[in-house]
């Protein structure tokens, strides 16, 4: 059993990179990839822990790519340890985020909310600070009943405290991942909100721009859709991966090594192109 899509405290997962590796060992995984949102900072710790545990490891990342109307998440798998282009991009994104968080806080203050930015940052527990932590703050200070209400009233797109966020283009993402020695894989393609009628055309376009593989299997999709994506990817000459998108206790419905329909992820979802990049 393997898992090529997981998160740690370096983004919004609840386990540290080492704790994640130890959970992966308990779950019986032979290969693990760490793919934190817009962060590579957990990879060194996870790689060291995986080496001690005897688990095959792929350094990774999950980049948020500019895309409308849905979401485009690009996995970078098998990154080498030094990757200046990617690291620079991620640092720039982080600086943008810090500025955006200040703007969100300013809007809240203007609205009369006694916002404590240090408390918001503490809620992120060392990971990337963003809207979920503002939502949690609004919930714990009883401005709203719960986090969802915070989004619905204030933080969702077109709501008063929403600020647009900078993200990188598909070409920039693909280029940064390839320059880092990794392979770009499209995560959970259904989140693109592309109709089945246009899916082949869109994925072929991505392939022509340098995409290497498709995460056909993801717990957010139905089994029939995963099978359809797998077939499509193979027809287009893209390799196929599978993941759990594990976030620890933050999302208890997701289990390490299990994908759509709680199916265990077979070793054949580690394509040879990625097996060659294992550490
Ligand atoms: P950010 O990157 O700071 O814009 O935050 C994005 C995160 O906020 C997403 O990954 C979701 O976890 C959460 N989120 C975004 N929109 C909503 C929404 N309408 N309702 C609940 N959570 C949301
Ligand atoms: Zn996440
Ligand atoms: Fe994602
Ligand atoms: Fe993810």
């Amino acid at each position: 059993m393997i898992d090529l899509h997981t998160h740690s405290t370096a983004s919004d997962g609840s386990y540290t990179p080492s704790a994640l590796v130890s959970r992966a060992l308990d779950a019986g995984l032979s290969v693990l990839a760490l793919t934190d949102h817009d962060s590579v900072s957990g990879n060194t710790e996870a790689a060291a822990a995986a080496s001690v545990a005897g688990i095959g490891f792929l350094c990774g990342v999950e980049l948020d790519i500019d895309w409308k109307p849905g979401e485009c998440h690009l996995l970078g798998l098998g990154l080498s340890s030094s990757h200046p282009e990617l690291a620079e991009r991620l640092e720039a994104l982080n600086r943008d985020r810090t500025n955006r968080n200040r703007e969100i806080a300013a809007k809240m203050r203007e609205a009369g909310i006694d916002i404590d930015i240090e408390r918001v940052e503490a809620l992120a527990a060392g990971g990337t600070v963003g809207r979920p932590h503002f939502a949690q703050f609004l919930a714990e200070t009883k401005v709203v009943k719960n986090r969802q209400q915070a989004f619905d009233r204030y933080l969702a797109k077109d709501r008063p405290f929403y600020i647009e966020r900078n993200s990188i283009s598909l070409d920039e993402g693909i280029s940064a991942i390839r320059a880092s020695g990794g392979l770009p894989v499209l995560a959970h393609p259904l989140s693109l909100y592309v109709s089945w009628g246009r899916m082949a055309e869109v994925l072929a376009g991505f392939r022509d721009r340098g995409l290497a593989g498709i995460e056909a299997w993801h717990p957010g999709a139905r089994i029939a859709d995963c099978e359809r994506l797998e077939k499509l990817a193979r027809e287009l000459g893209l390799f196929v991966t599978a993941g759990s998108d594990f976030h620890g206790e933050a999302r208890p419905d997701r289990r390490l090594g299990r994908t759509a329909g709680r199916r265990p992820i077979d070793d054949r979802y580690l394509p040879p192109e990625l097996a060659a990049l294992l550490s």
Side-chain angles (χ1 to χ4, degrees), residues 32 34 46 54 58-59 68 76 91 98 123 154 158 172 182 188 209 213 215 226 228 239 243 277:
L32 173 75
L34 177 65
L58 291 167
C59 286
K68 282 191 176 84
E91 273 165 35
T98 305
L123 289 169
Y154 299 118
D158 305 320
E172 288 169 333
H188 43 71
R209 289 157 74 180
E215 181 188 56
C226 299
R228 193 166 174 180
F239 65 66
L277 301 175

Side-chain angles (χ1 to χ4, degrees), residues 5-7 35 37 62 73 75 187-188 218 245-247 254:
H5 187 160
T6 68
H7 296 271
T35 55
H37 299 283
E62 180 174 19
H73 286 182
L75 299 171
H188 43 71
H218 183 278
D245 210 349
F246 183 72
H247 283 74
R254 307 260 169 97

Side-chain angles (χ1 to χ4, degrees), residues 132-201:
H133 313 103
F134 283 98
Q136 202 172 332
F137 177 85
L138 292 176
E140 73 177 24
T141 54
K142 305 275 194 298
V143 175
V144 291
K145 272 193 295 192
N146 53 43
R147 286 159 51 136
Q148 191 54 50
Q149 194 175 64
F151 273 97
D152 295 344
R153 289 202 181 158
Y154 299 118
L155 290 161
K157 209 165 186 157
D158 305 320
R159 304 309 299 167
F161 303 156
Y162 178 75
I163 303 269
E164 192 77 48
R165 180 157 79 76
N166 290 338
S167 47
I168 65 178
S169 71
L170 182 66
D171 293 324
E172 288 169 333
I174 288 174
S175 152
I177 290 165
R178 288 201 176 267
S180 310
L183 290 172
V185 176
L186 180 66
H188 43 71
L190 296 186
S191 74
L192 294 173
Y193 289 147
V194 165
S195 67
W196 281 111
R198 287 189 52 233
M199 190 63 88
E201 169 199 331

Side-chain angles (χ1 to χ4, degrees), residues 12 71 97 100 129-132 148 151-152 156 165:
D12 57 347
E71 287 187 346
R97 261 197 184 274
R100 175 191 190 232
V129 185
R131 284 185 292 159
Q148 191 54 50
F151 273 97
D152 295 344
R165 180 157 79 76

Side-chain angles (χ1 to χ4, degrees), residues 56-130:
F57 184 73
L58 291 167
C59 286
V61 69
E62 180 174 19
L63 300 178
D64 188 29
I65 302 292
D66 233 342
W67 182 264
K68 282 191 176 84
E71 287 187 346
C72 178
H73 286 182
L74 187 65
L75 299 171
L77 297 175
L79 308 171
S80 58
S81 46
S82 116
H83 30 64
E85 185 184 344
L86 185 56
E88 268 166 41
R89 284 228 171 277
L90 297 177
E91 273 165 35
L93 281 177
N94 261 315
R95 282 194 297 273
D96 291 349
R97 261 197 184 274
T98 305
N99 291 331
R100 175 191 190 232
N101 289 340
R102 287 201 190 107
E103 290 177 50
I104 294 176
K107 280 188 172 243
M108 289 186 172
R109 212 168 284 120
E110 278 166 34
I113 293 167
D114 187 17
I115 178 82
D116 175 359
I117 191 87
E118 276 169 22
R119 176 63 191 151
V120 173
E121 283 166 3
L123 289 169
T128 309
V129 185

